Amino acid sequence: MHEGLDQWSFVIAAYTLGIAGTLLLTGWSWISMRRAERRRDEVKRR
Amino acid sequence: MHGFANPRRFLSLAAWLTPALLVSGLLLTAGALAWGLLAVPPDRLMGETVRILFIHVPSAWLGMGGWTAIALSSMAFLVWKHPLAAIAARAAAVPGMAFTAICLASGSIWGRPAWGAWWVWDGRLTSMLVLLFLYAGYVALAQAVERDGGSPRIPAIFGLVGAVNIPIINRSVVWWNSLHQPPSITMGKSAIDAEFLVPLLLAVLGFSLLFGGIMLARMRALIAEMQHESRLRRKAQEAGDA
């Protein structure tokens, strides 16, 4: 370990990045899927 | 396998499998990360930063797994010409690219306290960066082909050729001198203590379930967009004929 850095700040940074990235990706995939399926069904109903 | 290539059968299967994979993946990942963050003891050499393992290793696994999915689906598309295989390849690209970026960023954060450097140009890090660029190229190529009406064989061939990088990433720490540690888990053997190995395997499983759910959601979105466009075209044609 180098320079007596605060190890927890690196751990928290990595977890924040990993969790936020995964949640954003999951939410974006789900919302874009629902939106695309709704658009398709609206055209089908018309 | 060919039975699931029927879009109607695929959509009825994906309707319940997508939320099932997403919910189980989120729960398992949350449990494994909480275990890794709060219950695992600090490592003798790496101290508290060993906890980054539970984010870094699953994202590296999925970064490489995503391209493997692209390569296998591309091969299936080129051999059987089934459009669902091309859709599966496209669906794996954005999640694979996101997890590759998370792997590189979390590795960089880990590198600073462990090696004293945010980045080193060694075989493992460089080949992983090449993978990120390959993903970006694949996404741009697939979008251009869709927009300009090009042949879907072009991104499929790119997906197959890019797979050359996967064994290079895997063997990079063996072939070249590297600050990165050699493989800790090989076929049937592990150099990792069970205290770290069990939550790590749970995190890998949780993230993999999540990746499966995200990929199915992307496939459903791409299929719905295609059906939407073909219905609009058909309606416009009917209106023109009338």
Side-chain angles (χ1 to χ4, degrees), chain B residues 161-173:
Chain B
V161 173
V164 169
N165 192 40
I166 299 300
I168 295 176
I169 296 172
N170 184 261
R171 303 310 294 164
S172 57
V173 284

Side-chain angles (χ1 to χ4, degrees), chain B residues 101-125:
Chain B
I102 292 171
C103 167
L104 284 166
S106 61
S108 178
I109 292 169
W110 202 357
R112 179 67 182 91
W115 304 334
W118 295 102
W119 183 265
V120 284
W121 290 101
D122 83 342
R124 172 58 64 87
L125 277 73

Side-chain angles (χ1 to χ4, degrees), chain B residues 39-64:
Chain B
V40 161
D43 180 64
R44 187 172 57 88
L45 291 173
M46 285 186 275
E48 303 291 356
T49 61
V50 73
R51 300 175 202 285
I52 299 173
L53 182 80
F54 306 107
I55 292 280
H56 182 68
V57 171
S59 55
W61 160 255
L62 292 177
M64 292 196 287

Side-chain angles (χ1 to χ4, degrees), chain A residues 8-43:
Chain A
W8 274 105
S9 51
F10 290 94
V11 174
I12 289 164
Y15 271 69
T16 305
L17 188 122
I19 292 168
T22 305
L23 288 179
L24 272 174
L25 179 67
T26 309
W28 167 75
S29 306
W30 182 259
I31 290 166
S32 61
M33 175 195 82
R34 295 303 300 259
R35 201 174 288 162
E37 289 184 340
R38 205 179 311 129
R39 256 202 320 260
R40 175 197 60 195
D41 296 342
E42 273 167 18
V43 175

Side-chain angles (χ1 to χ4, degrees), chain B residues 29 42 44 47 59 68 70 115 120 127 141 146 153 163 173 177 195 199 201 207 223 239:
Chain B
T29 302
R44 187 172 57 88
S59 55
T68 307
I70 290 177
W115 304 334
V120 284
S127 55
L141 189 61
E146 193 196 12
R153 289 167 62 91
V173 284
N177 285 329
E195 266 186 312
L201 292 178
F207 272 106
I223 291 170

